[in-house]
Amino acid sequence: MYDRFNRRISYLRISVTDRCNLRCSYCMPSEGVKLMNHSDILSYEEIVDVVYEAVALGISKVRITGGEPLVRKGIVSLIEQIALVSGIEDLALTTNGILLADFAEPLAAAGLQRINISLDTLDRKKFRATTCGGELRKVFDGIEAAKRAGLTPIKINCVVRNSSDEPDAIAVRDFCSSNGLEVRFIHEMSLSDGRFTIVENGHGGDCNRCNKLRLTANGMIRPCLFSDIQYSIRELGVRNAINKAVGMKPEKGSVSVTGNFYNIGG
Ligand code: SF4
């Protein structure tokens, strides 16, 4: 499927939860947020239905996000069901890595192909401070487990304040090159200010080439991260919501005042 600007829409990012086991300062306030009611969150059956319809319409790449997707119970069985949908060429997941050491093997066995892991600093104290208590050791264990499970290429998402020449970014870059990992630098974004740039070593933020749709944890199809346009699959039906979203996909991102990174999935 193509949008009004002749961009081929082939990539669906699915947020399976707004919950997370960390509180990264640039994503979620340390005191936490008002979470969605469980009844608002899509069931796995509903998510798999969306994937079948989306693939029938031309989606070939699916990424599972959150919040933190590994905190949602039964996530391995969801991956298993999505991996069975014929027509998916690329099935990936983005995680903060904290639980990955226990999940890497079962996810790979379920059909997950590759993984992105968030890592902004190698400084244990700074990591604990910016994530409100996260343990850096667990992320390193998760990376090693992902390597053993063959979830490659492993991409590291490193959020930088202003530049990839910041000391933490340089340290992460060196760590990645000496560990066979691919690093991408994501400059801090602001949905409400409409502040975003193109991801270094990635495609995110490049509106001219955008091929994305997003499914939020509560069943909204959003054609753009930096927009408030959204269509409910529960109200309109999956196919209708997807077609409306593609039809209304903006040429460029602007601002979003209704969305949050933790419930849209970045
Ligand atoms: S801002 Fe919107 S159009 Fe631009 S790359 Fe992001 S999702 Fe695509």
Side-chain angles (χ1 to χ4, degrees):
M1 59 188 148
Y2 289 80
D3 70 4
R4 295 169 292 165
F5 309 99
N6 211 27
R7 293 172 296 192
R8 181 167 171 256
I9 309 304
S10 58
Y11 180 8
L12 178 64
R13 297 174 64 100
I14 301 175
S15 167
V16 296
T17 181
D18 59 347
R19 273 97 174 138
C20 187
N21 48 1
L22 294 180
R23 292 279 178 276
C24 300
S25 51
Y26 48 76
C27 176
M28 213 189 257
S30 58
E31 70 276 10
V33 294
K34 183 176 177 326
L35 296 171
M36 295 174 187
N37 300 328
H38 276 292
S39 59
D40 294 335
I41 299 229
L42 293 185
S43 66
Y44 285 157
E45 291 71 30
E46 287 176 292
I47 293 173
V48 174
D49 281 350
V50 171
V51 174
Y52 272 103
E53 293 276 1
V55 169
L57 289 166
I59 292 291
S60 58
K61 176 177 175 180
V62 169
R63 176 177 297 280
I64 303 297
T65 67
E68 169 51 40
L70 301 187
V71 303
R72 184 158 174 187
K73 245 165 122 205
I75 188 71
V76 173
S77 80
L78 176 68
I79 296 292
E80 212 159 32
Q81 294 172 63
I82 293 178
L84 292 172
V85 179
S86 85
I88 293 185
E89 294 157 13
D90 185 358
L91 178 54
L93 180 143
T94 299
T95 173
N96 60 29
I98 296 293
L99 299 173
L100 188 55
D102 298 329
F103 277 89
E105 284 291 348
L107 287 169
L112 187 70
Q113 292 165 350
R114 56 192 189 82
I115 204 150
N116 286 46
I117 303 165
S118 308
L119 182 64
D120 305 333
T121 178
L122 303 185
D123 180 313
R124 197 173 48 79
K125 287 202 179 104
K126 200 182 265 185
F127 183 86
R128 176 178 283 276
T130 48
T131 61
C132 281
E135 281 181 54
L136 187 54
R137 173 76 273 157
K138 291 188 175 171
V139 180
F140 291 147
D141 294 347
I143 292 170
E144 289 312 310
K147 278 186 187 169
R148 287 193 301 274
L151 291 170
T152 51
I154 298 171
K155 295 189 177 174
I156 297 294
N157 291 351
C158 178
V159 173
V160 296
R161 183 144 289 179
N162 299 307
S163 146
S164 57
D165 294 328
E166 291 159 6
D168 283 313
I170 293 169
V172 169
R173 182 189 285 123
D174 296 345
F175 170 78
C176 289
S177 57
S178 52
N179 284 280
L181 308 167
E182 294 178 21
V183 65
R184 312 134 47 71
F185 295 106
I186 302 168
H187 292 234
E188 271 190 30
M189 304 183 267
S190 163
L191 288 168
S192 53
D193 301 344
R195 184 166 38 88
F196 68 95
T197 58
I198 295 179
V199 172
E200 287 183 42
N201 307 337
H203 302 303
D206 184 354
C207 301
N208 297 330
R209 298 168 50 182
C210 187
N211 60 348
K212 297 185 197 72
L213 289 178
R214 289 173 171 81
L215 174 66
T216 66
N218 60 347
M220 299 295 175
I221 300 282
R222 295 176 79 110
C224 171
L225 181 59
F226 283 83
S227 154
D228 288 322
I229 300 170
Q230 59 178 14
Y231 298 96
S232 164
I233 61 153
R234 286 178 169 165
E235 285 167 23
L236 300 174
V238 176
R239 200 166 268 252
N240 203 6
I242 291 175
N243 284 330
K244 279 187 180 297
V246 173
M248 289 302 291
K249 186 174 173 74
E251 187 172 13
K252 294 189 180 311
S254 52
V255 297
S256 170
V257 290
T258 58
N260 296 288
F261 290 118
Y262 55 81
N263 62 21
I264 302 178

Coordinates of all heavy atoms in Angstrom, one line a residue, residues 146-224:
A146 N 21.4 -12.6 23.8 CA 20.8 -12.3 22.4 C 21.8 -12.8 21.4 O 21.4 -13.4 20.4 CB 20.5 -10.9 22.2
K147 N 23.1 -12.6 21.7 CA 24.2 -13.1 20.7 C 24.1 -14.7 20.7 O 24.0 -15.3 19.6 CB 25.5 -12.7 21.2 CG 26.0 -11.3 20.9 CD 27.4 -11.2 21.3 CE 27.9 -9.8 21.2 NZ 29.2 -9.6 21.9
R148 N 24.1 -15.3 21.9 CA 24.0 -16.8 21.9 C 22.8 -17.3 21.2 O 22.8 -18.4 20.6 CB 24.0 -17.3 23.4 CG 25.4 -17.1 24.1 CD 25.4 -17.9 25.4 NE 24.3 -17.5 26.3 CZ 24.5 -16.5 27.2 NH1 25.6 -15.8 27.2 NH2 23.5 -16.2 28.0
A149 N 21.7 -16.6 21.3 CA 20.4 -17.0 20.7 C 20.3 -16.7 19.2 O 19.4 -17.2 18.5 CB 19.2 -16.3 21.4
G150 N 21.3 -16.0 18.7 CA 21.4 -15.7 17.2 C 20.4 -14.6 16.8 O 20.0 -14.6 15.6
L151 N 20.0 -13.7 17.7 CA 19.0 -12.6 17.4 C 19.8 -11.5 16.8 O 19.9 -10.4 17.3 CB 18.3 -12.2 18.7 CG 17.3 -13.1 19.2 CD1 16.8 -12.7 20.6 CD2 16.1 -13.4 18.3
T152 N 20.4 -11.8 15.6 CA 21.4 -10.8 15.0 C 20.8 -10.3 13.7 O 20.0 -11.0 13.1 CB 22.7 -11.5 14.8 OG1 22.5 -12.7 14.1 CG2 23.4 -11.8 16.1
P153 N 21.3 -9.1 13.2 CA 22.2 -8.2 13.9 C 21.5 -7.6 15.1 O 20.4 -7.2 15.1 CB 22.5 -7.2 12.8 CG 21.3 -7.1 11.9 CD 20.7 -8.5 11.9
I154 N 22.3 -7.5 16.2 CA 21.9 -6.8 17.4 C 22.2 -5.3 17.2 O 23.3 -4.9 16.9 CB 22.6 -7.3 18.6 CG1 22.2 -8.8 18.8 CG2 22.2 -6.5 19.8 CD1 23.0 -9.5 19.9
K155 N 21.1 -4.5 17.3 CA 21.3 -3.0 17.1 C 21.1 -2.4 18.5 O 20.2 -2.8 19.3 CB 20.3 -2.4 16.2 CG 20.5 -3.0 14.7 CD 19.7 -2.3 13.7 CE 20.1 -2.8 12.3 NZ 19.2 -2.3 11.3
I156 N 22.0 -1.4 18.8 CA 21.9 -0.7 20.1 C 21.4 0.7 19.8 O 21.9 1.4 19.0 CB 23.3 -0.6 20.7 CG1 23.9 -2.0 21.0 CG2 23.3 0.3 21.9 CD1 23.1 -2.8 22.1
N157 N 20.3 1.0 20.5 CA 19.7 2.3 20.4 C 20.2 3.2 21.5 O 20.0 2.9 22.7 CB 18.1 2.2 20.6 CG 17.5 1.6 19.4 OD1 18.1 1.3 18.4 ND2 16.2 1.3 19.6
C158 N 21.0 4.2 21.2 CA 21.7 5.0 22.2 C 21.1 6.4 22.0 O 21.2 7.1 21.0 CB 23.2 5.1 21.9 SG 24.0 6.2 23.1
V159 N 20.4 6.9 23.1 CA 19.8 8.2 23.1 C 20.8 9.2 23.5 O 21.5 9.0 24.5 CB 18.5 8.3 24.0 CG1 18.0 9.7 24.2 CG2 17.4 7.3 23.5
V160 N 21.0 10.3 22.7 CA 21.9 11.3 23.0 C 21.2 12.6 23.2 O 20.1 12.8 22.7 CB 23.0 11.5 21.9 CG1 23.9 10.2 21.8 CG2 22.4 11.8 20.6
R161 N 21.8 13.5 24.0 CA 21.1 14.8 24.3 C 21.2 15.7 23.1 O 20.2 16.1 22.5 CB 21.7 15.4 25.5 CG 21.0 16.7 25.9 CD 20.9 16.9 27.4 NE 20.0 16.0 28.0 CZ 19.8 15.9 29.3 NH1 20.4 16.8 30.1 NH2 18.9 15.1 29.8
N162 N 22.4 15.9 22.6 CA 22.6 16.8 21.4 C 23.4 16.2 20.3 O 23.2 16.5 19.2 CB 23.2 18.1 21.9 CG 22.4 18.8 22.9 OD1 21.2 19.1 22.7 ND2 22.9 19.1 24.1
S163 N 24.4 15.4 20.7 CA 25.3 14.9 19.7 C 25.9 13.5 20.0 O 26.1 13.2 21.2 CB 26.5 15.9 19.5 OG 27.7 15.2 19.2
S164 N 26.2 12.8 18.9 CA 26.8 11.4 19.1 C 28.3 11.6 19.5 O 29.0 10.6 19.6 CB 26.6 10.6 17.9 OG 27.1 11.2 16.8
D165 N 28.8 12.8 19.7 CA 30.2 13.0 20.1 C 30.2 13.2 21.6 O 31.3 13.5 22.2 CB 30.8 14.2 19.4 CG 30.9 13.9 17.9 OD1 31.2 12.7 17.6 OD2 30.8 14.8 17.1
E166 N 29.0 13.1 22.3 CA 29.0 13.2 23.8 C 29.8 12.0 24.4 O 29.8 10.9 23.8 CB 27.6 13.2 24.3 CG 26.8 14.5 23.9 CD 25.3 14.3 24.0 OE1 24.8 13.2 24.4 OE2 24.6 15.2 23.5
P167 N 30.5 12.2 25.5 CA 31.3 11.1 26.0 C 30.6 9.7 26.2 O 31.2 8.7 25.8 CB 31.7 11.6 27.4 CG 31.6 13.1 27.3 CD 30.5 13.4 26.3
D168 N 29.4 9.7 26.7 CA 28.7 8.4 26.8 C 28.5 7.8 25.5 O 28.6 6.6 25.3 CB 27.3 8.7 27.5 CG 27.5 8.9 29.0 OD1 28.2 8.1 29.6 OD2 26.9 9.8 29.5
A169 N 28.1 8.6 24.4 CA 27.9 8.1 23.1 C 29.1 7.5 22.5 O 29.1 6.4 21.9 CB 27.3 9.2 22.2
I170 N 30.3 8.2 22.7 CA 31.5 7.6 22.2 C 31.9 6.3 22.9 O 32.3 5.3 22.2 CB 32.7 8.7 22.4 CG1 32.4 9.9 21.6 CG2 34.0 8.1 22.1 CD1 33.3 11.1 21.9
A171 N 31.6 6.2 24.2 CA 31.9 5.0 24.9 C 31.0 3.8 24.4 O 31.5 2.7 24.2 CB 31.7 5.2 26.4
V172 N 29.7 4.1 24.1 CA 28.8 3.1 23.6 C 29.2 2.7 22.2 O 29.2 1.5 21.9 CB 27.3 3.6 23.7 CG1 26.4 2.7 22.9 CG2 26.9 3.8 25.1
R173 N 29.6 3.7 21.4 CA 30.1 3.4 20.0 C 31.3 2.4 20.1 O 31.3 1.4 19.4 CB 30.5 4.6 19.3 CG 30.9 4.4 17.8 CD 31.5 5.6 17.1 NE 30.4 6.5 16.7 CZ 30.4 7.8 17.1 NH1 31.4 8.2 17.9 NH2 29.5 8.7 16.8
D174 N 32.2 2.7 20.9 CA 33.4 1.9 21.0 C 33.1 0.5 21.5 O 33.5 -0.5 21.0 CB 34.5 2.5 21.9 CG 35.0 3.8 21.4 OD1 34.8 4.1 20.2 OD2 35.6 4.6 22.1
F175 N 32.2 0.4 22.5 CA 31.7 -0.9 23.0 C 31.1 -1.7 21.9 O 31.3 -2.9 21.8 CB 30.7 -0.6 24.2 CG 30.0 -1.8 24.6 CD1 30.6 -2.7 25.5 CD2 28.7 -2.1 24.2 CE1 29.9 -3.9 25.9 CE2 28.0 -3.2 24.7 CZ 28.6 -4.1 25.5
C176 N 30.2 -1.0 21.1 CA 29.5 -1.7 20.0 C 30.5 -2.2 19.0 O 30.5 -3.4 18.5 CB 28.5 -0.8 19.4 SG 27.1 -0.5 20.4
S177 N 31.5 -1.4 18.6 CA 32.4 -1.9 17.5 C 33.3 -3.0 18.0 O 33.6 -3.9 17.3 CB 33.2 -0.7 17.0 OG 33.9 -0.1 18.0
S178 N 33.6 -3.0 19.3 CA 34.4 -4.1 19.8 C 33.6 -5.4 20.2 O 34.1 -6.4 20.6 CB 35.3 -3.7 21.0 OG 34.5 -3.1 22.0
N179 N 32.3 -5.3 20.1 CA 31.4 -6.4 20.4 C 30.5 -6.8 19.3 O 29.5 -7.6 19.5 CB 30.6 -6.1 21.7 CG 31.4 -6.1 23.0 OD1 31.6 -7.2 23.5 ND2 31.8 -5.0 23.4
G180 N 30.8 -6.4 18.1 CA 30.0 -6.8 16.9 C 28.6 -6.3 16.9 O 27.7 -7.1 16.5
L181 N 28.3 -5.2 17.5 CA 27.0 -4.6 17.6 C 26.9 -3.4 16.7 O 27.9 -2.7 16.5 CB 26.7 -4.3 19.1 CG 26.9 -5.3 20.1 CD1 26.9 -4.7 21.5 CD2 25.9 -6.5 20.0
E182 N 25.7 -3.1 16.2 CA 25.4 -2.0 15.4 C 24.8 -0.9 16.2 O 23.8 -1.1 16.8 CB 24.5 -2.3 14.2 CG 25.1 -3.3 13.2 CD 24.1 -3.6 12.1 OE1 23.2 -2.8 11.9 OE2 24.3 -4.7 11.5
V183 N 25.4 0.3 16.3 CA 24.9 1.4 17.1 C 24.1 2.4 16.3 O 24.5 2.7 15.1 CB 26.0 2.1 17.9 CG1 27.0 2.8 17.0 CG2 25.4 3.0 19.0
R184 N 23.0 2.9 16.8 CA 22.2 4.0 16.2 C 22.0 5.0 17.3 O 21.7 4.7 18.4 CB 20.9 3.4 15.8 CG 21.0 2.1 15.0 CD 20.0 1.2 15.5 NE 18.6 1.7 15.7 CZ 17.8 2.0 14.6 NH1 18.3 1.9 13.4 NH2 16.7 2.5 14.8
F185 N 22.2 6.3 16.9 CA 22.1 7.4 17.8 C 20.8 8.1 17.6 O 20.5 8.5 16.5 CB 23.3 8.3 17.7 CG 24.6 7.7 18.1 CD1 25.5 7.3 17.2 CD2 24.8 7.4 19.5 CE1 26.7 6.7 17.5 CE2 26.0 6.7 19.8 CZ 26.9 6.4 18.9
I186 N 20.0 8.2 18.7 CA 18.6 8.8 18.6 C 18.7 10.1 19.4 O 18.9 10.0 20.7 CB 17.6 7.8 19.2 CG1 17.6 6.5 18.4 CG2 16.2 8.5 19.1 CD1 16.7 5.4 19.0
H187 N 18.6 11.2 18.8 CA 18.6 12.4 19.5 C 17.3 12.6 20.3 O 16.3 12.2 19.8 CB 18.8 13.6 18.6 CG 20.2 13.6 17.9 ND1 21.0 14.7 18.0 CD2 20.8 12.7 17.3 CE1 22.1 14.4 17.3 NE2 22.1 13.2 16.9
E188 N 17.5 13.1 21.6 CA 16.3 13.2 22.4 C 15.2 14.0 21.6 O 15.5 15.0 20.9 CB 16.6 14.0 23.7 CG 17.1 13.1 24.8 CD 17.2 13.8 26.1 OE1 16.4 14.7 26.4 OE2 18.0 13.4 26.9
M189 N 14.0 13.5 21.7 CA 12.8 14.1 20.9 C 11.8 14.6 21.9 O 11.8 14.3 23.1 CB 12.2 13.0 20.1 CG 13.1 12.2 19.2 SD 12.2 11.0 18.2 CE 12.3 9.6 19.2
S190 N 11.0 15.5 21.4 CA 9.9 16.0 22.2 C 8.6 16.0 21.3 O 8.5 16.8 20.4 CB 10.1 17.4 22.7 OG 8.9 18.0 23.1
L191 N 7.6 15.2 21.7 CA 6.4 15.1 20.9 C 5.6 16.4 20.9 O 5.2 16.9 19.9 CB 5.5 14.0 21.4 CG 6.0 12.5 21.2 CD1 5.2 11.5 22.0 CD2 6.0 12.2 19.7
S192 N 5.6 17.0 22.1 CA 4.7 18.2 22.2 C 5.4 19.4 21.5 O 4.7 20.3 21.0 CB 4.4 18.5 23.7 OG 5.7 18.5 24.4
D193 N 6.7 19.4 21.5 CA 7.4 20.5 20.8 C 7.7 20.2 19.3 O 8.1 21.1 18.6 CB 8.8 20.8 21.5 CG 8.7 21.1 22.9 OD1 7.6 21.4 23.4 OD2 9.7 21.0 23.6
G194 N 7.4 18.9 19.0 CA 7.7 18.6 17.6 C 9.2 18.6 17.3 O 9.6 18.8 16.1
R195 N 10.0 18.3 18.3 CA 11.5 18.3 18.1 C 11.9 16.8 17.8 O 11.7 15.9 18.6 CB 12.1 18.8 19.3 CG 13.7 18.9 19.3 CD 14.2 19.8 20.5 NE 13.5 19.5 21.7 CZ 13.9 18.6 22.6 NH1 14.8 17.8 22.3 NH2 13.2 18.5 23.8
F196 N 12.5 16.6 16.6 CA 13.0 15.3 16.3 C 14.0 15.5 15.1 O 14.0 16.4 14.3 CB 12.0 14.3 15.9 CG 11.2 14.6 14.6 CD1 11.6 14.0 13.4 CD2 10.1 15.4 14.6 CE1 10.9 14.2 12.2 CE2 9.4 15.6 13.4 CZ 9.8 15.0 12.2
T197 N 15.0 14.5 15.0 CA 15.9 14.5 13.9 C 16.0 13.1 13.3 O 15.4 12.2 13.9 CB 17.3 14.9 14.4 OG1 17.7 14.0 15.4 CG2 17.4 16.3 15.0
I198 N 16.7 12.9 12.2 CA 16.9 11.6 11.6 C 17.8 10.8 12.5 O 18.8 11.3 13.0 CB 17.4 11.7 10.2 CG1 16.3 12.4 9.3 CG2 17.7 10.3 9.6 CD1 16.7 12.6 7.9
V199 N 17.5 9.5 12.8 CA 18.3 8.7 13.6 C 19.6 8.4 12.9 O 19.6 8.1 11.7 CB 17.6 7.3 13.8 CG1 18.5 6.3 14.5 CG2 16.3 7.5 14.7
E200 N 20.7 8.6 13.6 CA 22.0 8.4 13.0 C 22.2 6.9 12.8 O 22.0 6.1 13.7 CB 23.2 8.9 13.9 CG 23.3 10.4 13.9 CD 24.4 10.9 14.7 OE1 25.5 10.3 14.7 OE2 24.2 11.8 15.5
N201 N 22.6 6.5 11.6 CA 22.8 5.0 11.2 C 21.4 4.3 11.2 O 21.4 3.1 11.4 CB 23.7 4.3 12.2 CG 25.0 4.9 12.4 OD1 25.5 5.7 11.5 ND2 25.6 4.7 13.6
G202 N 20.3 5.1 11.0 CA 19.0 4.5 10.9 C 18.1 5.3 10.0 O 18.6 6.2 9.3
H203 N 16.8 4.9 10.0 CA 15.9 5.6 9.1 C 14.9 6.4 9.8 O 14.2 7.2 9.2 CB 15.2 4.6 8.2 CG 16.1 3.7 7.4 ND1 17.0 4.2 6.5 CD2 16.3 2.4 7.4 CE1 17.7 3.3 6.0 NE2 17.3 2.1 6.5
G204 N 14.7 6.2 11.1 CA 13.7 6.9 11.9 C 13.9 8.4 11.7 O 15.0 8.9 11.7
G205 N 12.7 9.1 11.6 CA 12.8 10.6 11.5 C 13.0 11.1 10.1 O 12.9 12.3 9.9
D206 N 13.2 10.2 9.2 CA 13.3 10.6 7.8 C 12.0 10.5 7.1 O 11.6 9.6 6.5 CB 14.3 9.7 7.1 CG 14.6 10.1 5.6 OD1 14.0 11.1 5.2 OD2 15.5 9.5 5.0
C207 N 11.2 11.6 7.2 CA 9.8 11.6 6.7 C 9.7 11.3 5.2 O 8.7 10.7 4.8 CB 9.2 13.0 7.0 SG 9.2 13.4 8.8
N208 N 10.6 11.8 4.4 CA 10.5 11.5 3.0 C 10.5 10.0 2.7 O 9.9 9.6 1.7 CB 11.7 12.2 2.2 CG 11.7 13.7 2.4 OD1 10.6 14.3 2.6 ND2 12.9 14.3 2.5
R209 N 11.1 9.3 3.5 CA 11.2 7.8 3.2 C 10.4 7.0 4.2 O 10.5 5.8 4.4 CB 12.7 7.3 3.3 CG 13.6 8.0 2.3 CD 15.0 7.7 2.6 NE 15.3 6.3 2.9 CZ 16.5 5.8 3.2 NH1 17.5 6.7 3.3 NH2 16.7 4.6 3.4
C210 N 9.5 7.7 5.0 CA 8.8 7.0 6.0 C 7.9 5.9 5.5 O 7.1 6.1 4.6 CB 8.0 8.0 6.9 SG 7.3 7.2 8.3
N211 N 8.0 4.7 6.1 CA 7.2 3.5 5.6 C 6.4 2.9 6.8 O 5.9 1.8 6.7 CB 8.1 2.5 5.1 CG 9.1 2.0 6.1 OD1 9.3 2.6 7.2 ND2 9.8 0.9 5.8
K212 N 6.2 3.8 7.8 CA 5.7 3.3 9.1 C 4.2 3.6 9.4 O 3.7 4.6 9.1 CB 6.5 3.9 10.3 CG 7.9 3.5 10.3 CD 8.5 4.1 11.6 CE 10.0 4.1 11.5 NZ 10.5 5.1 10.5
L213 N 3.6 2.6 10.1 CA 2.4 2.8 10.8 C 2.6 2.3 12.2 O 3.5 1.4 12.4 CB 1.2 1.9 10.2 CG 0.6 2.3 8.9 CD1 -0.4 1.2 8.5 CD2 0.0 3.6 8.9
R214 N 1.9 2.8 13.2 CA 2.0 2.3 14.5 C 0.7 1.8 15.1 O -0.4 2.4 14.8 CB 2.5 3.4 15.4 CG 4.0 3.7 15.2 CD 4.5 4.9 15.9 NE 5.9 5.1 15.8 CZ 6.5 5.7 14.8 NH1 5.8 6.1 13.8 NH2 7.8 5.8 14.8
L215 N 0.7 0.7 15.9 CA -0.5 0.3 16.6 C -0.2 0.5 18.1 O 0.8 0.0 18.6 CB -0.7 -1.2 16.3 CG -1.8 -1.9 17.1 CD1 -3.2 -1.3 16.8 CD2 -1.8 -3.4 16.9
T216 N -1.0 1.3 18.7 CA -0.8 1.6 20.1 C -1.4 0.4 21.0 O -2.2 -0.3 20.5 CB -1.5 2.9 20.6 OG1 -2.9 2.7 20.5 CG2 -1.0 4.1 19.7
A217 N -1.0 0.4 22.2 CA -1.4 -0.7 23.1 C -2.9 -0.7 23.3 O -3.5 -1.8 23.6 CB -0.7 -0.6 24.5
N218 N -3.6 0.4 23.1 CA -5.0 0.4 23.3 C -5.8 0.4 21.9 O -6.9 0.9 21.8 CB -5.5 1.6 24.1 CG -5.0 2.9 23.5 OD1 -4.2 3.0 22.6 ND2 -5.6 4.0 24.0
G219 N -5.1 0.0 20.9 CA -5.8 -0.3 19.6 C -6.0 0.9 18.6 O -6.9 0.9 17.9
M220 N -5.1 1.9 18.7 CA -5.1 3.0 17.7 C -4.1 2.8 16.7 O -2.9 2.5 17.0 CB -4.9 4.3 18.5 CG -5.8 4.7 19.5 SD -7.5 4.9 18.8 CE -8.4 5.1 20.3
I221 N -4.5 2.9 15.4 CA -3.5 3.0 14.3 C -3.1 4.4 14.1 O -4.0 5.3 13.9 CB -4.1 2.4 13.0 CG1 -4.6 0.9 13.2 CG2 -3.1 2.5 11.9 CD1 -3.5 -0.1 13.2
R222 N -1.9 4.7 14.3 CA -1.3 6.1 14.1 C -0.4 6.1 12.9 O 0.5 5.3 12.8 CB -0.6 6.5 15.4 CG -1.5 6.7 16.6 CD -0.7 7.0 17.8 NE -0.4 8.5 17.9 CZ -0.9 9.3 18.7 NH1 -1.9 8.9 19.6 NH2 -0.6 10.6 18.8
P223 N -0.7 7.0 11.9 CA 0.2 7.0 10.7 C 1.5 7.7 11.0 O 2.4 7.6 10.2 CB -0.7 7.8 9.7 CG -1.6 8.6 10.5 CD -1.9 7.9 11.8
C224 N 1.6 8.5 12.1 CA 2.8 9.3 12.3 C 3.0 9.5 13.8 O 2.1 9.8 14.5 CB 2.7 10.6 11.6 SG 4.1 11.7 11.9

